[in-house]
């Protein structure tokens, strides 16, 4: 496991780097650079980034859905290709759930495409480590998208408490 990785909340100077990791992932939906700037400004407390030698190598973005206090939604998570499969995704997820702004959430929600085996493994593994259930439902079906896009299946992981999140690595 990498020891020299620093984790912190993003700020607006990270928006372009997050956009680049998403672009280079070849898997994640690439949104406008402006949207990542907004996330880094107005939703930074429910996001997390990882950097090594001053270079951004991973991120997770999310928010607390209004009116559903029990939920923390993870929108996108991405790891630089050179760093995948070394535990960083799970560390970022652990930090994401332990962010102060995630306090009180007892359920993690995210959406994943059926073809994304790595992401499914990450979230199913997290549910296992949290000692809780992982329910999968259709989420956003393909017909809701304007053009050729896989269904985004909704993963609902929980319930869990703060003590359980401590079982995910730091
Ligand atoms: C998905 C992603 C964030 C996972 O991060 P990562 O650092 O590679 O994952 P980790 O090393 O922390 O592994 C977490 C778990 O997933 C498993 N896993 C990781 N990559 C995998 C792969 N390609 N196939 C199957 N399982 C995989 C690991 O074995 C581990 O399982 P465990 O909990 O049973 O030990 C990373 O692969 C990525 O950035 N992919 C491209 C972007 C993406 O798909 N984002 C998610 C969209 S919702």
């Amino acid at each position: 496991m990498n020891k020299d990785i620093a984790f912190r909340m993003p700020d607006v100077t990270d928006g372009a780097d997050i956009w680049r990791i998403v672009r280079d992932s070849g898997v994640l939906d690439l949104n406008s650079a402006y949207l990542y700037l907004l996330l880094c400004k107005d939703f930074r407390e429910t996001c997390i980034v990882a950097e090594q030698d001053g270079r951004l190598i991973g991120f997770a973005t999310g928010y607390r859905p209004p009116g559903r206090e029990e939920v923390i939604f993870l929108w996108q998570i991405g790891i630089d290709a050179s760093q995948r499969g070394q535990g960083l995704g799970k560390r970022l997820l652990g930090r994401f759930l332990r962010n102060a702004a995630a306090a009180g959430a007892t359920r993690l929600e995210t959406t994943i495409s059926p073809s994304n085996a790595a992401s499914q493994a990450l979230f199913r593994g997290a549910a296992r480590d949290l000692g809780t259930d992982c329910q999968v439902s259709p989420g956003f079906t393909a017909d809701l998208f304007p053009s050729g896009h896989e269904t985004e299946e909704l993963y609902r992981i929980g319930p869990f408490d703060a003590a359980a999140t401590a079982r995910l690595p730091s």
Side-chain angles (χ1 to χ4, degrees):
M1 183 179 289
N2 292 301
K3 296 288 183 200
D4 53 350
I5 296 174
F7 297 86
R8 59 174 173 77
M9 269 181 235
D11 59 45
V12 291
T13 62
D14 298 307
D17 287 331
I18 294 174
W19 182 90
R20 278 187 206 98
I21 290 177
V22 173
R23 180 195 62 187
D24 296 344
S25 75
V27 178
L28 292 166
D29 282 350
L30 181 61
N31 297 277
S32 72
Y34 186 86
L35 183 55
Y36 295 103
L37 290 172
L38 274 184
L39 282 167
C40 290
K41 177 170 174 287
D42 290 339
F43 294 85
R44 63 187 299 262
E45 293 182 357
T46 48
C47 299
I48 187 114
V49 294
E51 66 181 355
Q52 190 174 43
D53 297 330
R55 189 172 75 90
L56 210 78
I57 57 170
F59 74 92
T61 54
Y63 63 94
R64 300 294 293 268
R68 295 197 297 143
E69 291 74 22
E70 77 281 12
V71 176
I72 175 85
F73 184 81
L74 187 146
W75 178 45
Q76 286 185 314
I77 182 168
I79 308 294
D80 185 89
S82 67
Q83 307 283 330
R84 290 183 197 156
Q86 301 172 50
L88 181 54
K90 199 180 268 193
R91 292 176 74 188
L92 267 174
L93 186 50
R95 300 256 178 175
F96 176 84
L97 291 177
R98 292 191 294 270
N99 266 339
T106 57
R107 287 188 188 278
L108 167 66
E109 291 186 1
T110 194
T111 70
I112 308 176
S113 301
S115 64
N116 193 335
S119 189
Q120 290 165 32
L122 171 64
F123 285 94
R124 287 194 184 281
R128 185 195 61 223
D129 293 352
L130 290 165
T132 194
D133 292 335
C134 177
Q135 294 177 340
V136 182
S137 58
F140 300 122
T141 51
D143 58 291
L144 294 173
F145 291 92
S147 61
H149 192 294
E150 271 187 283
T151 289
E152 288 279 343
E153 294 181 320
L154 176 63
Y155 282 61
R156 300 183 75 232
I157 294 169
F160 55 78
D161 59 17
T165 67
R167 295 203 285 269
L168 290 172
S170 292

